[in-house]
Tab-separated table of all heavy atoms in Angstrom:
chain	number	residue	atom	x	y	z
A	18	SER	N	32.731	97.746	125.385
A	18	SER	CA	32.829	96.311	125.649
A	18	SER	C	32.179	95.553	124.502
A	18	SER	O	31.290	96.059	123.826
A	18	SER	CB	32.150	95.951	126.972
A	18	SER	OG	30.781	96.311	126.944
A	19	ASP	N	32.633	94.309	124.291
A	19	ASP	CA	32.144	93.523	123.160
A	19	ASP	C	30.652	93.230	123.257
A	19	ASP	O	29.963	93.140	122.250
A	19	ASP	CB	32.921	92.201	123.062
A	19	ASP	CG	34.376	92.426	122.707
A	19	ASP	OD1	34.667	93.473	122.090
A	19	ASP	OD2	35.210	91.579	123.051
A	20	ASP	N	30.158	93.048	124.482
A	20	ASP	CA	28.752	92.711	124.654
A	20	ASP	C	27.924	93.919	125.074
A	20	ASP	O	26.892	93.777	125.733
A	20	ASP	CB	28.593	91.590	125.677
A	20	ASP	CG	29.145	91.977	127.046
A	20	ASP	OD1	29.881	92.986	127.119
A	20	ASP	OD2	28.834	91.269	128.022
A	21	ALA	N	28.375	95.107	124.669
A	21	ALA	CA	27.677	96.332	125.076
A	21	ALA	C	26.233	96.340	124.595
A	21	ALA	O	25.333	96.776	125.307
A	21	ALA	CB	28.411	97.565	124.535
A	22	HIS	N	25.992	95.832	123.384
A	22	HIS	CA	24.634	95.835	122.849
A	22	HIS	C	23.721	94.966	123.697
A	22	HIS	O	22.596	95.348	124.017
A	22	HIS	CB	24.620	95.350	121.404
A	22	HIS	CG	23.236	95.204	120.842
A	22	HIS	ND1	22.468	96.287	120.497
A	22	HIS	CD2	22.472	94.106	120.605
A	22	HIS	CE1	21.295	95.873	120.058
A	22	HIS	NE2	21.274	94.552	120.117
A	23	MET	N	24.203	93.785	124.083
A	23	MET	CA	23.379	92.902	124.891
A	23	MET	C	23.171	93.458	126.291
A	23	MET	O	22.180	93.168	126.948
A	23	MET	CB	24.008	91.506	124.957
A	23	MET	CG	23.973	90.758	123.643
A	23	MET	SD	22.292	90.656	122.941
A	23	MET	CE	21.449	89.730	124.204
A	24	GLN	N	24.117	94.261	126.773
A	24	GLN	CA	23.938	94.897	128.070
A	24	GLN	C	22.860	95.974	127.984
A	24	GLN	O	22.072	96.154	128.906
A	24	GLN	CB	25.250	95.522	128.547
A	24	GLN	CG	26.331	94.506	128.896
A	24	GLN	CD	27.598	95.179	129.363
A	24	GLN	OE1	27.576	96.320	129.807
A	24	GLN	NE2	28.715	94.475	129.253
A	25	ARG	N	22.835	96.701	126.887
A	25	ARG	CA	21.885	97.799	126.737
A	25	ARG	C	20.538	97.308	126.238
A	25	ARG	O	19.513	97.924	126.520
A	25	ARG	CB	22.452	98.851	125.771
A	25	ARG	CG	21.813	100.226	125.938
A	25	ARG	CD	22.437	101.231	125.005
A	25	ARG	NE	21.882	101.167	123.668
A	25	ARG	CZ	20.756	101.757	123.291
A	25	ARG	NH1	20.047	102.425	124.163
A	25	ARG	NH2	20.332	101.673	122.058
A	26	CYS	N	20.529	96.245	125.473
A	26	CYS	CA	19.290	95.720	124.897
A	26	CYS	C	19.144	94.235	125.223
A	26	CYS	O	19.286	93.374	124.344
A	26	CYS	CB	19.272	95.922	123.386
A	26	CYS	SG	19.400	97.644	122.853
A	27	PRO	N	18.884	93.915	126.487
A	27	PRO	CA	18.795	92.499	126.878
A	27	PRO	C	17.458	91.867	126.502
A	27	PRO	O	16.456	92.558	126.319
A	27	PRO	CB	18.964	92.557	128.403
A	27	PRO	CG	18.371	93.883	128.771
A	27	PRO	CD	18.701	94.819	127.635
A	28	LEU	N	17.471	90.551	126.409
A	28	LEU	CA	16.245	89.782	126.216
A	28	LEU	C	15.607	89.509	127.583
A	28	LEU	O	16.289	89.517	128.611
A	28	LEU	CB	16.544	88.455	125.528
A	28	LEU	CG	17.012	88.499	124.072
A	28	LEU	CD1	17.478	87.107	123.640
A	28	LEU	CD2	15.898	88.982	123.156
A	29	TYR	N	14.313	89.275	127.577
A	29	TYR	CA	13.653	88.815	128.793
A	29	TYR	C	13.968	87.329	128.941
A	29	TYR	O	13.296	86.477	128.363
A	29	TYR	CB	12.141	89.029	128.704
A	29	TYR	CG	11.704	90.471	128.711
A	29	TYR	CD1	11.042	91.021	127.621
A	29	TYR	CD2	11.944	91.292	129.810
A	29	TYR	CE1	10.624	92.349	127.619
A	29	TYR	CE2	11.536	92.622	129.825
A	29	TYR	CZ	10.871	93.134	128.728
A	29	TYR	OH	10.471	94.439	128.737
A	30	THR	N	14.990	87.007	129.703
A	30	THR	CA	15.387	85.610	129.873
A	30	THR	C	14.532	84.898	130.910
A	30	THR	O	14.526	83.672	130.979
A	30	THR	CB	16.862	85.515	130.274
A	30	THR	OG1	17.087	86.317	131.450
A	30	THR	CG2	17.761	86.033	129.143
A	31	ASN	N	13.834	85.659	131.720
A	31	ASN	CA	12.934	85.100	132.726
A	31	ASN	C	11.510	85.489	132.371
A	31	ASN	O	11.224	86.668	132.160
A	31	ASN	CB	13.317	85.624	134.118
A	31	ASN	CG	12.590	84.896	135.229
A	31	ASN	OD1	11.447	84.446	135.059
A	31	ASN	ND2	13.236	84.765	136.378
A	32	PHE	N	10.631	84.514	132.313
A	32	PHE	CA	9.249	84.780	131.927
A	32	PHE	C	8.597	85.797	132.851
A	32	PHE	O	7.793	86.628	132.421
A	32	PHE	CB	8.443	83.477	131.922
A	32	PHE	CG	7.015	83.637	131.477
A	32	PHE	CD1	6.716	83.849	130.140
A	32	PHE	CD2	5.978	83.579	132.397
A	32	PHE	CE1	5.398	83.996	129.721
A	32	PHE	CE2	4.660	83.732	131.983
A	32	PHE	CZ	4.382	83.943	130.649
A	33	ASP	N	8.944	85.762	134.136
A	33	ASP	CA	8.358	86.696	135.103
A	33	ASP	C	8.790	88.135	134.855
A	33	ASP	O	8.142	89.066	135.346
A	33	ASP	CB	8.735	86.286	136.529
A	33	ASP	CG	8.087	84.976	136.944
A	33	ASP	OD1	7.012	84.655	136.394
A	33	ASP	OD2	8.654	84.277	137.799
A	34	ASP	N	9.896	88.324	134.121
A	34	ASP	CA	10.383	89.678	133.844
A	34	ASP	C	9.560	90.388	132.771
A	34	ASP	O	9.633	91.608	132.645
A	34	ASP	CB	11.855	89.641	133.408
A	34	ASP	CG	12.779	89.214	134.545
A	34	ASP	OD1	12.372	89.372	135.714
A	34	ASP	OD2	13.881	88.714	134.248
A	35	ILE	N	8.819	89.632	131.975
A	35	ILE	CA	7.998	90.251	130.936
A	35	ILE	C	6.891	91.061	131.616
A	35	ILE	O	6.123	90.521	132.404
A	35	ILE	CB	7.379	89.194	130.007
A	35	ILE	CG1	8.474	88.362	129.334
A	35	ILE	CG2	6.486	89.849	128.959
A	35	ILE	CD1	7.951	87.239	128.475
A	36	PRO	N	6.824	92.361	131.350
A	36	PRO	CA	5.860	93.203	132.062
A	36	PRO	C	4.419	92.977	131.605
A	36	PRO	O	4.172	92.707	130.429
A	36	PRO	CB	6.332	94.622	131.726
A	36	PRO	CG	7.033	94.486	130.415
A	36	PRO	CD	7.668	93.125	130.418
A	37	THR	N	3.492	93.096	132.518
A	37	THR	CA	2.034	93.011	132.342
A	37	THR	C	1.590	91.600	131.950
A	37	THR	O	2.301	90.870	131.242
A	37	THR	CB	1.490	94.008	131.301
A	37	THR	OG1	1.710	93.516	129.990
A	37	THR	CG2	2.128	95.374	131.470
A	38	ILE	N	0.406	91.244	132.398
A	38	ILE	CA	-0.153	89.937	132.058
A	38	ILE	C	-0.461	89.851	130.574
A	38	ILE	O	-0.278	88.802	129.941
A	38	ILE	CB	-1.434	89.670	132.896
A	38	ILE	CG1	-1.959	88.257	132.626
A	38	ILE	CG2	-2.500	90.716	132.616
A	38	ILE	CD1	-1.014	87.152	133.033
A	39	PHE	N	-0.893	90.971	129.979
A	39	PHE	CA	-1.123	90.992	128.535
A	39	PHE	C	0.179	90.745	127.780
A	39	PHE	O	0.199	90.059	126.756
A	39	PHE	CB	-1.726	92.328	128.105
A	39	PHE	CG	-3.192	92.459	128.412
A	39	PHE	CD1	-3.811	93.706	128.404
A	39	PHE	CD2	-3.964	91.354	128.708
A	39	PHE	CE1	-5.162	93.836	128.689
A	39	PHE	CE2	-5.315	91.456	128.994
A	39	PHE	CZ	-5.922	92.710	128.987
A	40	GLY	N	1.269	91.330	128.293
A	40	GLY	CA	2.570	91.140	127.657
A	40	GLY	C	3.010	89.689	127.695
A	40	GLY	O	3.564	89.177	126.712
A	41	LYS	N	2.787	89.032	128.809
A	41	LYS	CA	3.155	87.620	128.940
A	41	LYS	C	2.339	86.755	127.976
A	41	LYS	O	2.887	85.883	127.284
A	41	LYS	CB	2.930	87.148	130.383
A	41	LYS	CG	3.912	87.727	131.398
A	41	LYS	CD	3.591	87.242	132.793
A	41	LYS	CE	4.671	87.596	133.799
A	41	LYS	NZ	4.856	89.060	133.955
A	42	VAL	N	1.029	86.991	127.948
A	42	VAL	CA	0.172	86.199	127.068
A	42	VAL	C	0.528	86.438	125.600
A	42	VAL	O	0.606	85.498	124.796
A	42	VAL	CB	-1.314	86.527	127.320
A	42	VAL	CG1	-2.202	85.811	126.308
A	42	VAL	CG2	-1.709	86.139	128.740
A	43	SER	N	0.761	87.703	125.245
A	43	SER	CA	1.088	88.025	123.845
A	43	SER	C	2.418	87.408	123.438
A	43	SER	O	2.567	86.929	122.304
A	43	SER	CB	1.119	89.547	123.640
A	43	SER	OG	2.169	90.145	124.386
A	44	ALA	N	3.395	87.379	124.360
A	44	ALA	CA	4.694	86.771	124.044
A	44	ALA	C	4.543	85.275	123.793
A	44	ALA	O	5.126	84.723	122.845
A	44	ALA	CB	5.682	87.024	125.174
A	45	VAL	N	3.756	84.607	124.629
A	45	VAL	CA	3.535	83.163	124.454
A	45	VAL	C	2.808	82.891	123.136
A	45	VAL	O	3.187	81.991	122.374
A	45	VAL	CB	2.732	82.599	125.645
A	45	VAL	CG1	2.312	81.156	125.363
A	45	VAL	CG2	3.557	82.665	126.919
A	46	MET	N	1.779	83.684	122.853
A	46	MET	CA	0.997	83.467	121.635
A	46	MET	C	1.829	83.737	120.389
A	46	MET	O	1.798	82.949	119.429
A	46	MET	CB	-0.244	84.370	121.652
A	46	MET	CG	-1.276	83.998	122.693
A	46	MET	SD	-2.758	85.029	122.608
A	46	MET	CE	-3.431	84.543	121.022
A	47	PHE	N	2.594	84.829	120.391
A	47	PHE	CA	3.390	85.167	119.203
A	47	PHE	C	4.496	84.134	118.999
A	47	PHE	O	4.807	83.759	117.866
A	47	PHE	CB	3.986	86.571	119.344
A	47	PHE	CG	4.328	87.209	118.035
A	47	PHE	CD1	3.395	87.978	117.351
A	47	PHE	CD2	5.583	87.048	117.464
A	47	PHE	CE1	3.704	88.563	116.137
A	47	PHE	CE2	5.905	87.635	116.251
A	47	PHE	CZ	4.960	88.392	115.588
A	48	ALA	N	5.097	83.665	120.100
A	48	ALA	CA	6.129	82.631	119.987
A	48	ALA	C	5.532	81.347	119.412
A	48	ALA	O	6.135	80.706	118.544
A	48	ALA	CB	6.746	82.370	121.356
A	49	ALA	N	4.348	80.982	119.900
A	49	ALA	CA	3.674	79.788	119.370
A	49	ALA	C	3.366	79.965	117.889
A	49	ALA	O	3.540	79.036	117.085
A	49	ALA	CB	2.389	79.516	120.159
A	50	GLY	N	2.920	81.171	117.519
A	50	GLY	CA	2.639	81.444	116.112
A	50	GLY	C	3.872	81.307	115.244
A	50	GLY	O	3.814	80.749	114.139
A	51	CYS	N	5.018	81.783	115.752
A	51	CYS	CA	6.269	81.682	114.990
A	51	CYS	C	6.677	80.219	114.802
A	51	CYS	O	7.121	79.820	113.717
A	51	CYS	CB	7.385	82.449	115.706
A	51	CYS	SG	7.220	84.248	115.665
A	52	VAL	N	6.535	79.421	115.860
A	52	VAL	CA	6.901	78.007	115.765
A	52	VAL	C	6.005	77.284	114.762
A	52	VAL	O	6.483	76.511	113.909
A	52	VAL	CB	6.805	77.331	117.152
A	52	VAL	CG1	6.981	75.821	117.023
A	52	VAL	CG2	7.856	77.901	118.092
A	53	ILE	N	4.705	77.529	114.840
A	53	ILE	CA	3.772	76.870	113.915
A	53	ILE	C	4.021	77.337	112.484
A	53	ILE	O	3.946	76.541	111.534
A	53	ILE	CB	2.321	77.149	114.335
A	53	ILE	CG1	2.051	76.583	115.723
A	53	ILE	CG2	1.337	76.523	113.340
A	53	ILE	CD1	0.690	76.939	116.283
């Protein structure tokens, strides 16, 4: 299928799906770092 890669390697589209509290905090911090 054309979207096979996205099916096998999806993004965390929901913040609650990001595993562990450390994972959530690190994702927010790294995203903020990228924007800045």
Side-chain angles (χ1 to χ4, degrees):
S18 59
D19 294 335
D20 60 346
H22 174 74
M23 291 306 298
Q24 292 180 22
R25 201 178 82 83
C26 301
L28 292 171
Y29 292 117
T30 55
N31 190 328
F32 183 74
D33 292 334
D34 292 337
I35 301 176
T37 79
I38 185 63
F39 283 164
K41 290 178 170 62
V42 174
S43 65
V45 171
M46 291 183 66
F47 203 90
C51 289
V52 172
I53 298 174

